[in-house]
Amino acid sequence: MLRALLPCGLLIAGMAPAAAEEAFFGQERAGFELNLGAGPFFSPAYPGSGSMRGQPFPHINGGYGEWLDFDVLDGVRIAALQAHGLSLGPILRLRDGRDAADARRDLTGLRSFSETVEGGVFLAYEAGPLYADVSLTQDLAQSHGGAAMEARLLLSVPVGRVAFTAGPELRVVTRQYAQSFYGVTEAEAARTPYAAHRAGGGLERVGGLAAMQWRLSARWDLQGYVEYARLLGSSADSPLVRSPGGSPDQIQAGLFLSYRLF
């Protein structure tokens, strides 16, 4: 299933200075670029789950010049306005839904909803090795029906052929978003072991990311990341999170080998 996560390669490539003789990092994209790959991906079985599941996952990213970026993990961004390190424009991304079949023991009796497309705007700022951005997105297909604001601040450091990136991130969500993923209606409480819970909007999670990109050659990259988030507020108070099968500590990780076609 597709995940709306922070991309490893997209933010690392182009942020760090170039190496001495070979331009491993820091080169502006002159034209069209397409990277294809795959690797293992690990994530909670559902938002708020205490168990992890692994699956093979495609790694696709690239763009055109400095105005278009796309990444299967982070969506499509168009930098419509650019000035003094700032960029502003529309964003489209995919967000996972929730399928009771993914964890029958914990989700049977609760509402399932499909993956969806979120659309909105982003504002980013880049200054040397520092990168910060804020995105505001709304569910366009009315799957979870809510909206989210996500922010992150990243520092990228190159060491030879390897670039390391790390920094904090957070997510603020609307009441409808929180209710879809963490709420339990009266009807659901009647047919499950969970007590009814009305999740509210606000700060859903805070955490951080550590990522690595190893430039194996001019066309081959090995990229990996680990992302940790702590659920907060009414999301953390959800009976799904507080149950034996749940946890407020959410970890996601991936390791991808990719090849640059263009």
Side-chain angles (χ1 to χ4, degrees):
M1 297 172 70
L2 292 167
R3 307 281 172 177
L5 307 178
L6 183 72
C8 323
L10 182 60
L11 292 177
I12 295 173
M15 289 176 59
E21 293 183 358
E22 290 186 83
F24 293 118
F25 302 104
Q27 298 304 291
E28 294 185 358
R29 188 186 296 124
F32 179 70
E33 179 182 329
L34 176 61
N35 302 288
L36 298 178
F41 177 77
F42 303 91
S43 66
Y46 56 89
S49 174
S51 60
M52 300 281 291
R53 66 174 183 174
Q55 60 184 326
F57 195 83
H59 182 67
I60 305 169
N61 67 23
Y64 190 89
E66 295 302 302
W67 63 272
L68 171 65
D69 285 309
F70 56 85
D71 189 289
V72 70
L73 294 175
D74 199 46
V76 179
R77 297 174 177 233
I78 299 175
L81 299 175
Q82 301 181 63
H84 308 293
L86 289 169
S87 56
L88 172 68
I91 178 174
L92 287 174
R93 64 157 53 113
L94 291 164
R95 178 86 66 185
D96 253 4
R98 188 180 68 189
D99 188 349
D102 290 341
R104 296 183 185 278
R105 184 189 64 181
D106 300 318
L107 298 180
T108 296
L110 297 177
R111 180 173 76 97
S112 295
F113 47 95
S114 62
E115 296 169 349
T116 190
V117 176
E118 295 180 346
V121 297
F122 77 93
L123 174 66
Y125 177 71
E126 184 176 344
L130 287 174
Y131 178 91
D133 76 350
V134 177
S135 64
L136 301 171
T137 55
Q138 167 70 45
D139 177 12
L140 300 180
Q142 293 301 302
S143 178
H144 60 73
M149 182 195 79
E150 295 173 275
R152 56 202 179 188
L153 174 64
L154 302 172
L155 172 67
S156 183
V157 178
V159 181
R161 291 174 177 258
V162 182
F164 299 94
T165 296
E169 54 189 6
L170 61 84
R171 183 190 297 161
V172 177
V173 301
T174 61
R175 180 195 60 80
Q176 181 59 48
Y177 183 108
Q179 181 66 17
S180 293
F181 286 100
Y182 305 106
V184 180
T185 66
E186 295 288 347
E188 290 172 333
R191 59 177 181 261
T192 68
Y194 302 119
H197 176 70
R198 192 164 186 81
L203 185 59
E204 179 221 10
R205 65 177 62 199
V206 296
L209 170 118
M212 172 276 297
Q213 180 186 20
W214 181 8
R215 186 62 52 84
L216 301 173
S217 70
R219 291 189 176 270
W220 286 98
D221 281 1
L222 182 64
Q223 303 173 25
Y225 80 98
V226 175
E227 184 182 38
Y228 167 80
R230 177 81 177 184
L231 297 178
L232 301 172
S234 64
S235 298
D237 292 336
S238 168
L240 279 75
V241 178
R242 298 171 65 88
S243 72
S247 173
D249 300 307
Q250 304 286 282
I251 299 174
Q252 297 165 328
L255 182 64
F256 309 104
L257 180 65
S258 66
Y259 179 78
R260 183 169 62 84
L261 289 178
F262 304 101

